[in-house]
Amino acid sequence: MDAQGRGRAENIDPADQWVLNPDTGDYELRLSPSAGQSSVPGPRGSSPRQGGRGRSAPGRERSRPDEPGERREVPGQRRRRVKEPEPGSGGRRKQNPRKAKGKPKSKGKKVMVWTGGTLAFLLVAGCTGGYLYYQHLNDNITSIDDDGAGTGGFSKDRAINILVMGTDKRSGSGNKGYGDEGSAGHADTTILLHVSKDRTNATALSIPRDMIVDIPDCPTKQEDGSVKNIPGTQKARFNESLGQSDRTPSCTMRTVKAITGITPDHFMVADFNAVKTLSSAVGGVDVCLAKDIDDPKSHLKLSKGEHTIEGEDALAFVRTRHSVGTGGDLSRIELQQQFLSALMRKLKSNDTLSNPKKMFSLAEAGTEALTVDSKIADIMKLKDLGMELGKLDMKNLSFATVPVIDNPAETVHTTVVPDPAKSEQLFAMLRADQSLTVVKKREKKEKAAVAARLKGPKADASDVRVDIYNGSGKTGAAQTTLTWLQNTEGVLKSSQLGNAPSDIKKTTLEYGPDQADQARRLADIMGLSGAALKPGKSEKNAQGLPAMKLTLGGDFKGAGVPIDASSKAPKDIKKVGADKVMCAK
């Protein structure tokens, strides 16, 4: 970060005036006795404002975003002024009066950064102090209304879902030469970050840009306060949910909700500059290649082995696809996940966290590179969000991609569609707040006696005799389940007996005392929890033989999708831990 007021006798770099307090893990402003005042950027209003997001401090020439070629844009951007934080104590961060007992907390645990490197500024939001600097960072933030598509804001007492988008819009300084000429941009890279309620685990779910989806109608607030309804599109590429037809990020939020059943709390949008500036701010990102790459389209030229990349090379790395894997977008997603994992490891390293200059650079780069929803367009709110995310151990963060198959409507496959069973199974796990890496302990949801119903020997699938009733309210649920059980799972002694007397919320399996081993086998096949098993009396089927009674409830999502989403992840799903080092192939 450039020093302010270079003409003063002290000529002190402001980053050198911030020191780490080992008791709190926070950076504190400590001026030398002879220093006249803090040399952090000055507050807004200290001289007449002339447009743009903020004014330059004395002695520093700062480019204005409203000059030609300098405005940072996203589709449908509408600038919101953010609320200024309450003044602090003379530009110095107050020390937490509740000092940690015993051994100080690890600095690496203070604040964590997640997807795309686009949340890097959350690191410093929790660690840097000073009222003037908060004002300066607030001036950097650009925001757009979420048009009611979000939850209204994250909460400390529930899971957090953040939608991070990278747009290929090429307008703005530093973006020329990328993306589609004259295009309003697309959702080029999209990741849904789900952080568990107890903050023990998280999943970063990549959504392929060429996945065919239904984009819903999008009511969108206009500059004059009116609301324009942007009509939805059936069977469109997912990336058209942003930029195209004047769609804003709130439309991508609605599309993601329609796909996954998860309502994001917030969104963040980054352009090409984000990768370049953030990778440079940390001093480069370490990546690994299993082969030489020379991609003339992305301009990436690297030899086999390990490299430290930043700036244009970092951007080329995350954009390349023709020289890795199968040469498609799915291969590029794997490359991006490798880069993001490496970036987060760099951000968590003491080399970054203990270096004030890097932290200031990250704060500047992060707030300049992002556009966020208006509900978190304040550095203090971002700090609170960062502190929540910072509770996670990186080894329990998994990167995954929506399971897809080739689009059956195409002869020459250029797009994909969600794999019906696997994608819904994965979405159900996220909705149920379950991890791909850690199966959390149940919080006394089931008593020991109920959980014990799943313990013990299991009968062979061929010996399971069950009658299926449909109480789910979904037409044909019993028949599709019967077909799946018989043809896929080998439960041949099964039959479907139509609708239950009334719809029920939860699926149940009733069985007699001598059918417990059959019940455990069917529970394992269908992903039933112990609470779904109802020991009692068995009924007789049409042949007069004792049979269990399976009644599908409102929690039934489809044949082959576990009823209890926490039971297991989809088979063969690709997932990578953020703490793992990968080499691009």
Side-chain angles (χ1 to χ4, degrees), residues 31 80 114 162 198 225 231 265 289 291-292 404 437 499 539 584:
L31 301 176
R80 296 284 186 264
W114 310 110
I162 302 173
D198 63 7
D265 298 300
L289 297 176
K291 64 179 181 180
D292 295 342
V404 294
T437 56
N499 293 331
E539 61 181 27

Side-chain angles (χ1 to χ4, degrees), residues 121-309:
F121 72 100
L122 293 182
L123 270 166
V124 289
C127 297
T128 56
Y131 174 55
L132 301 183
Y133 195 59
Y134 280 139
Q135 285 185 311
H136 170 69
L137 292 181
N138 272 343
D139 265 346
N140 285 350
I141 299 172
T142 302
S143 66
I144 303 177
D145 202 295
D146 74 353
D147 299 313
T151 62
F154 78 94
S155 174
K156 295 182 179 181
D157 59 356
R158 57 180 171 81
I160 296 175
N161 294 287
I162 302 173
L163 190 63
V164 181
M165 294 165 272
T167 175
D168 58 2
K169 185 180 178 67
R170 63 183 296 173
S171 63
S173 177
N175 290 324
K176 301 301 182 183
Y178 307 110
D180 299 327
E181 182 71 39
S183 171
H186 304 78
D188 194 50
T189 299
T190 305
I191 296 177
L192 176 63
L193 173 67
H194 172 86
V195 183
S196 67
K197 177 181 177 180
D198 63 7
R199 310 299 186 248
T200 63
N201 58 84
T203 300
L205 183 66
S206 295
I207 302 175
R209 65 174 189 176
D210 294 327
M211 187 172 74
I212 299 301
V213 300
D214 292 338
I215 300 175
D217 292 347
C218 300
T220 306
K221 190 177 296 184
Q222 305 298 299
E223 291 276 359
D224 60 3
S226 63
V227 176
K228 173 184 176 181
N229 186 63
I230 301 175
T233 304
Q234 303 295 306
K235 299 187 182 307
R237 292 179 189 245
F238 173 80
N239 67 352
E240 295 179 19
S241 65
L242 178 67
Q244 305 303 298
S245 302
D246 294 327
R247 294 186 176 108
T248 67
S250 66
C251 193
T252 309
M253 293 180 83
R254 296 183 193 279
T255 305
V256 169
K257 179 181 179 180
I259 296 169
T260 66
I262 298 170
T263 302
D265 298 300
H266 300 287
F267 68 74
M268 296 185 175
V269 183
D271 60 16
F272 293 116
N273 276 324
V275 174
K276 293 190 290 185
T277 57
L278 290 170
S279 61
S280 295
V282 297
V285 176
D286 301 326
V287 298
C288 179
L289 297 176
K291 64 179 181 180
D292 295 342
I293 290 183
D294 186 358
D295 187 348
K297 291 186 177 296
S298 69
H299 307 295
L300 178 67
K301 186 174 183 179
L302 291 175
S303 61
K304 176 182 177 180
E306 298 180 355
H307 300 269
T308 300
I309 58 175

Side-chain angles (χ1 to χ4, degrees), residues 13 28 74 82 100 110 123 135 171 209 228 237 254 335 339 383 404 441 448-449 489-490 515 537 550 561 575 583:
D13 189 320
E28 296 178 355
V74 295
V82 297
K110 286 299 291 181
L123 270 166
Q135 285 185 311
S171 63
R209 65 174 189 176
K228 173 184 176 181
R237 292 179 189 245
R254 296 183 193 279
L335 203 67
F339 179 85
K383 182 208 71 171
V404 294
K441 295 179 180 179
E489 300 298 329
Q515 297 172 317
K537 296 181 179 180
L550 175 67
V561 180
K575 60 181 185 293
C583 288

Side-chain angles (χ1 to χ4, degrees), residues 324-345:
V324 294
T326 59
D329 186 53
L330 296 179
S331 296
R332 184 174 69 164
I333 286 176
E334 294 179 9
L335 203 67
Q336 291 170 346
Q337 291 175 348
Q338 179 203 155
F339 179 85
L340 303 184
S341 297
L343 175 60
M344 286 186 288
R345 288 194 296 272

Side-chain angles (χ1 to χ4, degrees), residues 453-466 489-491 493 514-525 548:
R453 295 172 189 169
L454 297 173
K455 298 178 180 178
K458 300 179 181 67
D460 291 338
S462 59
D463 293 331
V464 173
R465 183 177 285 108
V466 60
E489 300 298 329
V491 184
K493 297 177 181 178
D514 58 345
Q515 297 172 317
D517 58 342
Q518 295 183 46
R520 285 189 286 267
R521 174 58 65 191
L522 190 62
D524 182 64
I525 292 173
M548 297 186 295

